[in-house]
């Protein structure tokens, strides 16, 4: 008998990789997918219609996940509003990430009380760790000032822990793949000296898929999910290498362009614990850069190089820390410096 699996958020970078991996094992799994109905998602997910049961809806509505929640054995819950959108609307972020999770839990408790729920939380819940960059899952959760996204992840975690379901929670490190991280104004929010432990979408998805066979070891536990020692890098170096790959040259922005505090990311001191159970790691920081380089056409790199000054000027105009720095407004500057 096949294991019945519900996957939410299949259109995201991790969700899409999880969907592909689940379908590759469709002889073992009966797959149900729930996602927001948009033209993009319909095009992305519709091509798998012969292999999955597909439901669309707004997870913030209590009844939206009811039908998809019926008769499920295992649930991979990835649906969420993520940054930068999550930073712009506190009410909407809470509605989707926290209330949406509560709605899903309620429907699962009603229609699939024996289901096991695997939830994707975030390193953002630990907040600024520049001064103490080795994180353990037992560390206090202290989101950075104004980080609504992290706050809603903590709310969702609490709802899961208090539910009647069996569950596990994975606090994801920085998820970085060749196609899911574009250079944008968001990059200026992270201090350049931040230690970063990345995990690729492929490896992250593999952890959730492998979790199906390891419920007993995971039950009622929270884990830090990270790429491990081979995926660690200082943000300045990560950004500089990325700039060169894209044809943008040196990382030569003026003083005040990058925040000095109040973000997140660090190294996971205990991420090997989950790896020892699920054996999900395949990528390293080197393979990540190889994938990024392969994803950038040579012609794109050439023309970007021709106009790199204009591109970087445009990027700088989107830097919130730089705008605060130039304004001298102490209320605005407290978030970043």
């Amino acid at each position: 008998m096949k294991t019945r699996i519900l996957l939410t958020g299949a259109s995201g970078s991790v969700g899409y990789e999880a969907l592909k991996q689940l379908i590759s094992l469709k002889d073992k799994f009966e797959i149900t997918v729930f996602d927001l109905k948009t033209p993009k998602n319909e095009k992305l997910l519709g091509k798998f219609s012969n292999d999955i049961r597909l439901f669309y809806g707004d997870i913030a509505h209590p009844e939206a996940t009811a039908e998809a929640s019926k008769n499920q054995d295992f649930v991979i819950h990835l649906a969420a509003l993520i940054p930068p959108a999550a930073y712009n609307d506190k009410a909407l972020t809470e509605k989707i990430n926290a209330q949406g999770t509560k709605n899903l839990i309620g429907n699962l408790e009603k229609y699939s009380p024996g289901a096991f729920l695997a939830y994707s939380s975030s390193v953002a819940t630990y907040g600024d760790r520049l001064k103490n960059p080795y994180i353990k899952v037992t560390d206090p959760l202290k989101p950075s000032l104004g980080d609504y996204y992290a706050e809603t992840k903590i709310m969702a975690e609490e709802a899961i822990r208090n539910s009647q379901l069996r569950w596990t929670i994975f606090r994801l490190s920085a998820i970085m793949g060749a196609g899911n991280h574009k250079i944008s104004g968001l990059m200026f929010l992270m201090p350049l000296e931040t230690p970063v432990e990345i995990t690729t979408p492929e490896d992250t998805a593999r952890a959730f898929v492998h979790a199906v066979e390891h419920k007993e070891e995971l039950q009622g536990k929270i884990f830090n999910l990270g790429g491990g020692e081979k995926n660690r890098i200082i943000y300045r170096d990560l950004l500089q290498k990325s700039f060169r790959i894209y044809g943008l040259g040196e990382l030569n922005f003026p003083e005040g362009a990058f925040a000095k505090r109040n973000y997140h990311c660090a190294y996971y001191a205990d991420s090997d614990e989950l790896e020892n159970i699920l054996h999900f790691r395949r990528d390293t920081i080197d393979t990540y850069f190889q994938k990024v380089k392969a994803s950038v056409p040579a012609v794109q790199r050439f023309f970007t190089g021709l106009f790199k000054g204009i591109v970087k000027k445009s990027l700088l105009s989107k830097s919130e820390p730089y705008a605060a720095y130039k304004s001298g407004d102490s209320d605005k500057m407290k978030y970043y410096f």
Side-chain angles (χ1 to χ4, degrees):
M1 184 176 178
K2 293 183 178 182
T3 300
R4 297 162 299 187
I5 295 182
L6 170 61
L7 170 65
T8 74
S11 61
S13 60
V14 175
Y16 191 64
E17 290 298 330
L19 177 59
K20 291 189 293 183
Q21 291 178 28
L22 288 170
I23 289 175
S24 73
L25 300 167
K26 62 183 179 180
D27 59 319
K28 298 172 59 178
F29 302 136
E30 180 182 307
I31 307 158
T32 300
V33 169
F34 178 88
D35 216 317
L36 187 66
K37 189 172 186 177
T38 68
K40 179 182 177 182
N41 288 354
E42 287 184 289
K43 181 178 180 181
L44 183 70
L45 303 176
K47 59 188 175 184
F48 300 114
S49 58
N50 292 332
D51 298 312
I52 64 176
R53 296 168 66 235
L54 186 54
F55 293 90
Y56 290 112
D58 183 348
I59 198 170
H61 295 159
E63 71 284 357
T65 52
E67 194 63 31
S69 297
K70 293 180 179 178
N71 303 313
Q72 299 295 343
D73 299 314
F74 196 94
V75 182
I76 300 174
H77 179 31
L78 307 176
L81 185 65
I82 63 173
Y87 295 152
N88 299 328
D89 190 329
K90 182 177 183 179
L92 180 62
T93 304
E94 183 173 343
K95 188 176 180 182
I96 294 173
N97 296 357
Q99 189 57 51
T101 298
K102 292 175 184 177
N103 293 339
L104 177 62
I105 289 170
N107 285 322
L108 290 170
E109 288 176 336
K110 183 176 181 180
Y111 297 115
S112 297
F116 190 102
L117 175 62
Y119 176 64
S120 61
S121 188
S122 172
V123 66
T125 58
Y126 297 107
D128 188 332
R129 293 297 298 262
L130 273 171
K131 295 181 179 179
N132 184 16
Y134 286 89
I135 297 173
K136 292 185 177 180
V137 76
T138 52
D139 289 352
L141 304 184
K142 297 174 62 177
S144 295
L145 187 65
D147 190 344
Y148 309 138
Y149 171 71
E151 291 174 9
T152 61
K153 284 294 184 179
I154 293 172
M155 293 177 194
E157 284 193 22
E158 182 178 8
I160 291 167
R161 292 198 312 271
N162 293 331
S163 75
Q164 298 172 29
L165 302 171
R166 293 179 298 156
W167 57 267
T168 189
I169 295 169
F170 299 163
R171 292 180 183 146
L172 311 189
S173 73
I175 307 302
M176 302 194 69
N180 76 312
H181 261 73
K182 304 297 184 182
I183 293 175
S184 69
L186 192 64
M187 72 182 191
F188 296 106
L189 298 181
M190 183 182 289
L192 288 172
E193 303 311 316
T194 302
V196 181
E197 181 173 328
I198 75 162
T199 318
T200 62
E202 296 91 337
D203 281 358
T204 307
R206 191 174 296 109
F208 281 97
V209 173
H210 286 188
V212 179
E213 305 295 337
H214 293 273
K215 295 186 288 293
E216 296 306 315
E217 298 103 309
L218 303 175
Q219 159 63 19
K221 295 180 181 178
I222 301 173
F223 297 88
N224 285 328
L225 190 161
E229 189 173 355
K230 292 182 179 179
N231 281 282
R232 293 174 180 172
I233 191 170
I234 298 299
Y235 181 54
R236 182 191 300 275
D237 297 333
L238 188 153
L239 207 53
Q240 177 63 86
K241 289 184 180 182
S242 298
F243 264 50
R244 288 172 179 160
I245 288 172
Y246 280 97
L248 288 169
E250 297 306 306
L251 192 67
N252 51 353
F253 289 95
E255 177 68 24
F258 289 86
K260 300 288 188 182
R261 62 181 292 271
N262 201 42
Y263 201 62
H264 57 262
C265 284
Y267 298 149
Y268 277 154
D270 55 4
S271 63
D272 286 350
E273 183 177 349
L274 189 61
E275 165 64 11
N276 291 337
I277 297 172
L278 301 181
H279 306 292
F280 59 91
R281 294 174 182 160
R282 302 288 186 278
D283 285 311
T284 66
I285 196 69
D286 292 328
T287 65
Y288 162 73
F289 282 121
Q290 289 168 13
K291 290 179 181 181
V292 174
K293 186 174 182 178
S295 73
V296 183
V299 65
Q300 177 184 336
R301 189 179 301 114
F302 173 76
F303 282 107
T304 300
L306 290 179
F307 300 100
K308 60 188 177 185
I310 296 173
V311 174
K312 284 191 271 192
K313 186 176 181 180
S314 176
L315 283 171
L316 183 62
S317 71
K318 300 174 183 177
S319 168
E320 294 178 15
Y322 192 63
Y325 180 82
K326 294 288 284 184
S327 73
D329 187 322
S330 58
D331 287 335
K332 292 181 180 179
M333 289 181 67
K334 69 180 181 182
Y335 286 96
Y336 310 114
F337 304 102

